[in-house]
């Protein structure tokens, strides 16, 4: 398993991650972003891929393909436009699947 980490999202949200040594890939809805994301997932170079919630909206089907795979772990993070709640929702579903019940419910 790879120890490298990638971050995929809009430039404003992720450019700072490069300073931490993470590989950044910019999301542009006018380009073939699905192909770029697919290459990241299939390369075997990354154990973790952070995706901004805004970019994840466009990658729903692709992200779903990798949810049941052990690697890479795809983790949604908020971007500069704010938190949409998708990241927390994804964590909740993952925990529910692992534990067998929604431990976050009130």
């Amino acid at each position: 398993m790879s120890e490298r980490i990638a971050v995929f999202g809009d430039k404003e949200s992720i450019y700072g991650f490069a300073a931490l040594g993470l590989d950044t890939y910019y999301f542009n809805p006018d380009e073939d972003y699905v192909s770029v994301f697919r290459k990241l997932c299939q390369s075997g170079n990354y154990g973790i891929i952070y995706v901004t919630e805004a970019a994840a909206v466009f990658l729903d089907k692709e992200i779903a393909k990798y949810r049941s795979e052990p690697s890479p772990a795809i983790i949604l993070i908020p971007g500069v436009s704010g938190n949409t709640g998708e990241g927390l929702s994804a964590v909740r579903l993952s925990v529910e699947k692992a534990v067998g019940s929604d431990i976050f419910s009130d």
Side-chain angles (χ1 to χ4, degrees):
M1 182 166 90
S2 177
E3 295 178 10
R4 292 175 59 190
I5 299 173
V7 185
F8 187 81
D10 60 280
K11 189 173 186 173
E12 296 80 23
S13 296
I14 69 168
Y15 71 90
F17 287 97
L20 300 173
L22 282 65
D23 297 340
T24 55
Y25 295 89
Y26 301 123
F27 165 79
N28 183 345
D30 297 330
E31 296 176 7
D32 188 9
Y33 56 87
V34 173
S35 176
V36 172
F37 182 75
R38 209 176 274 155
K39 286 179 187 176
L40 286 175
C41 293
Q42 295 174 351
S43 71
N45 293 333
Y46 299 103
I48 300 172
I49 301 173
Y50 291 109
V51 179
T52 61
E53 292 175 339
V57 169
F58 294 93
L59 294 166
D60 248 359
K61 292 178 183 175
E62 286 300 311
I63 291 172
K65 291 178 185 178
Y66 297 98
R67 283 274 182 233
S68 62
E69 299 296 320
S71 183
I74 299 172
I75 301 168
L76 304 185
I77 59 173
V80 295
S81 59
N83 185 354
T84 65
E86 289 298 316
L88 183 58
S89 178
V91 169
R92 173 175 264 155
L93 288 174
S94 295
V95 170
E96 185 174 347
K97 184 177 178 182
V99 176
S101 66
D102 184 1
I103 63 172
F104 296 111
S105 65
D106 295 330

